[in-house]
Amino acid sequence: MRIGVLTGGGDCPGLNAVIRAVVRKGVATYGHEFVGFRDGWRGPLEGLTKPLGIAEVRGILPRGGTILGSSRTNPFKIEGGVEQIKSNLAEQGVDALVAIGGEDTLGVATKLHELGVQVVGVPKTIDNDLGATDYTFGFDTAVNIAMEAIDRLHTTAESHHRTLVVEVMGRHAGWIALHAGLAGGANVILLPERPFDVDQVAGYVEKRFQHQYAPIVVVAEGAQPLEGQMVLQNQELDSFGHVRLGGIGQWLAEQLEAKTGKEARTVVLGHIQRGGTPTAFDRVLATRLGLQAIDAVNEGDWGKMVAMQGTNIVRVPLVEATKELKTVPLERYTEAEVFFGS
């Protein structure tokens, strides 16, 4: 077969490991041919391709980002987009697609499968919020980057007796904030799943200062105060209907400084969490997902997503994978609350 590979949505460490595994096994074991579609769904939509063989994937295992490029293109928002994709696939002689992405990218893959395109999905999101898989690659790297930042911030916070508010990624799910906060010894963790009381957070901060230590507050970008709204950079929507978040950290720091009388500063980690070399865990997980994905393609098991359940790599229907977000359950947040303010 001639197989197209694309990566869509936000980039993350481990994408290249998936591409490498798909191509290496696809060529060496099954004798398939590959073509890379550039910049997510824009690639098959506009016919943007690049060669993708053994030579092209050598040495990419430790590289962050994606050699194929990415975008947030939604072909279903473009008139005639689906027909154009089908036409370009036929023109390129492409028999099947491996789509690597998160909720939005795999949502497009699901719809295309229902319209007759032969596709297999691989889950990718640093937010770890896809319901059908226990972990997504990129999450472990993002958590470790955030944890290292928190470790460094502890020392400067102590030196200046400041509150430091660390804003991490997490639109609707607070997995990065929860794991990085726990691992980094944060004194308060705020998630999108549970609106917070600013006065209560200020109380935790004051209690921490009473112990002669400076507090670290970790807040997910999608967290919001009680009866409040998400803090937005602007009201513009992307092609999948998402607003651009950002600013909750600065807003919270200003509130805490006003309520406690102690200086508060904000650190927004932003895209630092997406970049750089993937951890060993993410390299191995991404590789295993890629190997299972090309097996599914070779067997003609279309409309499936490969997923990690326990320690096994399994296949689940794409429609199940994108049906609902996996958010942080209350009991996991309750575990973390033990350390708040102490």
Side-chain angles (χ1 to χ4, degrees):
M1 281 188 284
R2 182 169 164 84
I3 302 161
V5 181
L6 65 86
T7 54
D11 72 305
C12 79
L15 282 167
N16 288 323
V18 178
I19 297 167
R20 171 181 177 269
V22 167
V23 173
R24 290 286 292 267
K25 187 170 186 178
V27 172
T29 303
Y30 299 127
H32 296 313
E33 181 185 355
F34 291 88
V35 59
F37 282 107
R38 293 163 43 202
D39 302 338
W41 289 112
R42 185 182 298 152
L45 184 66
E46 300 179 9
L48 306 175
T49 65
K50 66 179 295 180
L52 194 61
I54 296 291
E56 285 74 24
V57 300
R58 291 195 188 280
I60 68 172
L61 178 63
R63 285 177 57 182
T66 164
I67 62 169
L68 297 178
S70 189
S71 74
R72 297 189 184 277
T73 303
N74 184 352
F76 287 92
K77 293 291 186 179
I78 299 170
E79 186 175 351
V82 174
E83 291 73 19
Q84 190 63 47
I85 285 179
K86 287 185 174 182
S87 174
N88 285 333
L89 292 180
E91 186 176 317
Q92 293 281 343
V94 173
D95 303 298
L97 283 175
V98 175
I100 310 165
E103 176 192 9
D104 296 327
T105 301
L106 296 182
V108 170
T110 302
K111 293 178 182 177
L112 288 175
H113 167 66
E114 293 169 351
L115 295 172
V117 177
Q118 298 183 151
V119 60
V120 168
V122 180
K124 174 261 2 158
T125 166
I126 65 169
D127 291 335
N128 197 43
D129 59 359
L130 285 176
T133 185
D134 290 348
Y135 283 96
T136 53
F137 66 86
F139 171 68
D140 186 68
T141 303
V143 167
N144 275 278
I145 290 168
M147 179 197 70
E148 182 179 346
I150 294 167
D151 286 347
R152 294 174 182 273
L153 291 171
H154 273 293
T155 58
T156 186
E158 298 296 343
S159 298
H160 293 277
H161 312 292
R162 289 174 176 149
T163 301
L164 282 180
V165 178
V166 184
E167 182 182 313
V168 300
M169 286 185 167
R171 176 180 294 274
H172 298 297
W175 291 107
I176 293 177
L178 179 70
H179 281 238
L182 273 174
N187 308 111
V188 187
I189 302 170
L190 305 175
L191 312 180
E193 292 87 343
R194 188 169 179 179
F196 61 89
D197 183 335
V198 179
D199 289 328
Q200 185 180 40
V201 176
Y204 288 137
V205 165
E206 289 177 328
K207 185 178 178 183
R208 177 71 172 176
F209 276 122
Q210 289 169 8
H211 294 303
Q212 304 302 310
Y213 286 95
I216 301 286
V217 179
V218 174
V219 56
E221 62 183 344
Q224 52 189 312
L226 288 171
E227 300 180 0
Q229 296 180 333
M230 285 184 176
V231 178
L232 311 179
Q233 289 193 10
N234 55 57
Q235 298 291 332
E236 295 178 5
L237 304 179
D238 66 17
S239 62
F240 289 96
H242 299 312
V243 292
R244 186 177 180 186
L245 298 181
I248 184 64
Q250 182 62 38
W251 179 88
L252 181 59
E254 293 170 357
Q255 293 290 316
L256 293 177
E257 185 167 316
K259 290 178 180 296
T260 66
K262 297 284 189 178
E263 186 180 9
R265 296 288 179 87
T266 309
V267 177
V268 181
L269 295 184
H271 288 80
I272 291 173
Q273 296 159 92
R274 291 195 183 280
T277 300
T279 60
F281 181 90
D282 279 341
R283 295 186 200 191
V284 172
L285 175 57
T287 297
R288 293 182 68 199
L289 290 170
L291 294 174
Q292 183 63 237
I294 193 59
D295 287 346
V297 169
N298 191 65
E299 295 168 18
D301 197 4
W302 311 119
K304 296 294 178 61
M305 182 191 83
V306 292
M308 184 183 195
Q309 295 184 358
T311 57
N312 298 318
I313 306 298
V314 301
R315 302 175 195 172
V316 298
L318 269 171
V319 67
E320 293 295 320
T322 57
K323 187 166 63 175
E324 62 181 20
L325 288 178
K326 179 182 65 184
T327 55
V328 177
L330 179 60
E331 57 269 23
R332 288 295 306 274
Y333 189 69
T334 302
E335 291 174 355
E337 283 184 308
V338 172
F339 303 100
F340 289 5
S342 58

